[in-house]
Amino acid sequence: MPAAASESAHCTPVSGRVVLCRAGFEGEAAGELAAAAAAAGLSGFARASSGSGVARFELHDVTTQNALEAATPWPRLIFARTAWSLHASVQALPTHDRVTPLLHAVQTHGQHYAQILVEHADSDSGRELSALARTLAPPLRGALQRAGVLHAQAARDLYVLLSAGDAALLCSAARGAASPWPGGIPRLRFPSAAPSRSTLKLEEALLVLLDERERERWLRPGMRAVDLGAAPGGWTYQLVRRSIHVTAVDNGPMQPALLESGLVEHLRNDGFRWRPGKPVDWLVCDMVEQPRRVAALIAAWLRDGACRRALFNLKLPMKKRREEVLLCLDLLHAAVPGIELRARQLHHDREEITVLALPPSAR
Ligand SMILES: C[S@@+](CC[C@H](N)C(=O)[O-])C[C@H]1O[C@@H](n2cnc3c(N)ncnc32)[C@H](O)[C@@H]1O
């Protein structure tokens, strides 16, 4: 082994949790890790450098790593595109051989892994590392395989998060516990017939917030949906392509091709006032409005049984974004006992989050 490469690099053991998030939302992502850790009685500190697209929580006590992982499962985190447990920080990787010191650091940790993924953040500096991540992955995988670190049956996956050309965080997650997409970003292709790019928001929401079985059961041809704030029809397009009937409520114009599908009724009405005559399977809502007003509207529809499930966007142009989200979710919990809320800032969400609301009767 070329000893010099391992000797110049430093590996510092660190225990904690790392999440990838939208650049600019590191404070919110770190805030939710810190709040969950505090609620579980775990002491440590949050670290989030603005614009990095990464947030982490470092534990004071290494033995509480499993408890932190249990307290911060990825599906429950709103601002995290994915979440991993943190084991070590490796610095001063020599550019001529990054593989040897990384292999050494992984071996020091003494675990086996099912697979290795080399990742980078979705930020200006993170994206500059994408080529390195691609070229580093095959030789690192080969070295780990030869060293006997990779086993198909192992319970966890290894994530190497590049933080600079010469630095990385070693992380891991139980199989299936982190996002299945690199960087937590499903790669979706914009459908050329769709009327607006926001079609990808609903497509991503249906992919990330529902599992395969739920998509099969809850998105059936012939179902009925209402789309509040529908124009020009990006969200309606996603429902129509699944042969769902849509009442599209918006004063703005809808794409003519959607109206010609025979599945769309366009009503030029106020989305805060209009209600359907009969309950519908889905309410979707992308109106640009105060989040509390939208949350109260959705709560009223669900409480009155006007829709079975709801999927909606909360716009967050304010400073206290996490506080506003928590307030909206509390409002829904109070209005609809037993409601399940799945909330996430998706890749296609900008200053906003998407929420799936499932009352007990809808599950
Ligand atoms: C972000 S756009 C919706 C884009 C749409 N989801 C798509 O994929 O094409 C917001 C829409 O909300 C509509 N809107 C805002 N307030 C509304 C209200 N009170 N009632 C109905 N529509 C409203 C606007 O006219 C605008 O078309």
Side-chain angles (χ1 to χ4, degrees):
M1 175 174 103
S6 270
E7 280 160 17
S8 62
H10 321 288
C11 174
T12 316
V14 201
S15 281
R17 202 85 168 126
V18 176
V19 301
L20 298 184
C21 63
R22 182 174 192 84
F25 282 78
E26 298 80 10
E28 284 74 12
E32 62 184 343
L33 287 179
L42 305 171
S43 82
F45 57 94
R47 273 193 188 207
S49 135
S50 179
S52 65
V54 183
R56 58 170 136 157
F57 185 85
E58 291 184 21
L59 288 162
H60 288 138
D61 177 358
V62 184
T63 64
T64 57
Q65 173 91 307
N66 290 348
L68 180 65
E69 186 171 294
T72 54
W74 170 58
R76 258 199 266 145
L77 299 171
I78 299 168
F79 293 96
R81 291 179 182 168
T82 191
W84 309 309
S85 286
L86 171 62
H87 305 297
S89 166
V90 190
Q91 310 277 334
L93 289 166
T95 49
H96 66 274
D97 179 13
R98 296 175 179 90
V99 170
T100 306
L102 284 171
L103 170 65
H104 189 71
V106 174
Q107 283 178 312
T108 306
H109 193 59
Q111 292 277 329
H112 289 111
Y113 299 100
Q115 55 169 344
I116 149 93
L117 297 112
V118 181
E119 299 262 4
H120 60 87
D122 183 24
S123 60
D124 290 343
S125 55
R127 283 186 292 272
E128 283 174 13
L129 298 166
S130 65
L132 177 58
R134 270 196 309 278
T135 51
L136 185 58
L140 186 55
R141 190 170 294 121
L144 290 164
Q145 230 146 18
R146 285 190 296 279
V149 174
L150 297 183
H151 283 279
Q153 307 310 322
R156 298 182 74 84
D157 291 330
L158 171 67
Y159 294 86
V160 173
L161 174 64
L162 294 176
S163 44
D166 67 349
L169 296 177
L170 298 190
C171 309
S172 76
R175 302 223 75 195
S179 168
W181 300 285
I185 303 175
R187 308 285 151 178
L188 302 177
R189 194 188 288 215
F190 176 68
S192 57
S196 65
R197 285 206 70 78
S198 45
T199 198
L200 294 176
K201 271 197 293 190
L202 185 58
E203 186 172 1
E204 185 181 355
L206 296 174
L207 190 62
V208 174
L209 299 178
L210 274 67
D211 65 28
E212 204 174 328
R213 192 157 169 265
E214 291 167 342
R215 280 191 293 276
E216 263 170 35
R217 286 165 53 217
W218 297 346
L219 295 164
R220 291 228 181 113
M223 283 185 158
R224 308 200 81 83
V226 170
D227 183 356
L228 299 179
W235 285 30
T236 293
Y237 173 88
Q238 289 296 332
L239 298 165
V240 164
R241 67 186 277 206
R242 292 169 172 84
S243 303
I244 293 172
H245 296 268
V246 183
T247 304
V249 182
D250 201 308
N251 273 317
M254 293 290 287
Q255 184 201 53
L258 278 173
L259 300 177
E260 286 157 18
S261 69
L263 289 168
V264 180
E265 179 189 21
H266 180 198
L267 301 178
R268 291 182 186 274
N269 254 305
D270 180 355
F272 282 92
R273 289 171 178 269
W274 183 84
R275 287 290 187 95
K278 281 197 302 191
V280 292
D281 298 290
W282 281 97
L283 169 62
V284 300
C285 172
D286 189 24
M287 288 192 288
V288 181
E289 250 300 340
Q290 285 178 37
R292 291 172 211 204
R293 233 190 133 201
V294 171
L297 178 72
I298 304 292
W301 275 64
L302 290 167
R303 194 188 48 220
D304 300 346
C307 60
R308 286 197 181 86
R309 331 181 157 78
L311 202 152
F312 56 98
N313 213 252
L314 296 175
K315 315 288 173 189
L316 303 171
M318 66 288 298
K319 279 212 171 100
K320 297 193 163 180
R321 300 182 286 210
R322 192 168 154 261
E323 289 79 351
E324 186 67 27
V325 167
L326 295 180
L327 196 141
C328 291
L329 301 185
D330 283 351
L331 187 155
L332 280 148
H333 278 295
V336 187
I339 193 170
E340 179 184 339
L341 298 172
R342 301 179 193 168
R344 175 71 43 80
Q345 186 175 39
L346 303 166
H347 171 62
H348 291 95
D349 283 334
R350 291 169 184 261
E351 286 215 307
E352 57 198 338
I353 64 157
T354 302
V355 185
L356 172 69
L358 302 169
S361 57
R363 305 199 292 266

